[in-house]
Amino acid sequence: MKLIVGLGNPGGKYARNRHNIGFMALDRIASDHGFGAWKGKHQGSISEGRFGSARAVLLKPETFMNLSGQSVQAAMRFYKLEPADVIVLHDEIDLAPAKVKCKTGGGHAGHNGLRSIHAHIGPDYDRVRLGVGHPGHKDAVPGYVLRDFPKADEEWLDDVLRGISDGAADLAAGDTSKFLNAVAMRVNPPRSGTGTKGPKPAQKQATPPPPPRSQRPPNRQNPPCKN
């Protein structure tokens, strides 16, 4: 069984914040895959369901971002899971908007939600890094991630969320290549045809019209008669 965690802050005030893209992703997965109604448990909201025969639990910690690890640890203990059974989806300022990457282990890179999870269960869990872009200066980061996605981002955001849902079963099964391909098919769908062009056919040169009869040279095989 997999515990799939989406990071964010609870409450309508934060619902469309960049920091809440993890919550958004889980909402889309639960809706598209027919998971159960959200219930308040383990200091968060959970929704249970299956990808085929594989059971999964979706968790949105409601401790606020800085204490996310408390909720994750409580759910792990209840379901008797190890860090390797946990997948965390979170916003990533070090990736461009619409970029998605997967990672196992490593540091928290200053992300307060990951920092809390590290402190409670260690670093050896899987992550899905969801690019939201960088404001340009580190001092601007807190205000940037706690602001709503602008309207200009709505198209790529919807594509990313749909792609995550499309590939959720592969993500739960540990096939990150198929998962990332599902996201890419939404964000950058292939164009019709191969997209390559063959060499252009040689253009035929137009045959010039014959000259007027008065300008034609005499027929050498049949010279004019002499008087």
Side-chain angles (χ1 to χ4, degrees):
M1 188 183 87
K2 289 292 184 180
L3 176 65
I4 304 177
V5 181
L7 297 187
N9 288 309
K13 175 182 176 181
Y14 305 100
R16 298 298 297 174
N17 284 183
R18 293 182 176 93
H19 227 14
N20 275 44
I21 193 171
F23 276 18
M24 298 177 198
L26 262 58
D27 286 338
R28 180 60 61 88
I29 292 172
S31 175
D32 289 352
H33 293 272
F35 273 54
W38 291 98
K39 299 177 182 178
K41 287 185 179 180
H42 316 305
Q43 302 179 54
S45 291
I46 68 164
S47 176
E48 300 186 44
R50 294 181 179 274
F51 300 113
S53 60
R55 186 183 176 200
V57 176
L58 309 181
L59 171 66
K60 296 188 292 185
E62 294 185 342
T63 53
F64 285 94
M65 184 68 76
N66 295 2
L67 300 176
S68 298
Q70 294 179 4
S71 176
V72 175
Q73 184 182 59
M76 285 179 59
R77 285 176 174 171
F78 180 84
Y79 294 107
K80 298 179 174 59
L81 301 175
E82 298 295 327
D85 301 316
V86 177
I87 304 169
V88 177
L89 289 80
H90 65 90
D91 59 303
E92 178 57 78
I93 60 171
D94 291 330
L95 290 179
K99 293 292 184 182
V100 177
K101 290 190 176 182
C102 295
K103 179 181 179 180
T104 300
H108 53 66
H111 190 290
N112 288 331
L114 298 183
R115 189 197 307 273
S116 177
I117 295 172
H118 271 50
H120 285 82
I121 71 168
D124 300 322
Y125 56 92
D126 293 333
R127 309 137 199 213
V128 179
R129 305 164 65 211
L130 307 175
V132 297
H134 198 287
H137 194 281
K138 65 179 182 179
D139 292 342
V141 168
Y144 178 77
V145 297
L146 290 174
R147 283 198 293 271
D148 288 358
F149 283 103
K151 288 185 178 181
D153 288 353
E154 287 181 358
E155 184 174 354
W156 72 254
L157 177 60
D158 186 63
D159 288 340
V160 167
L161 297 178
R162 289 178 183 273
I164 290 170
S165 180
D166 291 346
D170 296 315
L171 178 65
D175 194 333
T176 55
S177 294
K178 281 189 177 181
F179 167 71
L180 292 174
N181 185 61
V183 176
M185 291 291 285
R186 287 286 189 177
V187 176
N188 297 302
R191 297 179 180 178
S192 58
T194 61
T196 59
K197 296 181 179 180
K200 292 182 178 180
Q203 293 183 349
K204 294 183 179 179
Q205 295 184 351
T207 303
R213 295 186 68 85
S214 60
Q215 296 180 12
R216 293 181 188 178
N219 191 327
R220 297 181 182 275
Q221 294 181 352
N222 298 296
C225 296
K226 296 181 179 178
N227 290 331

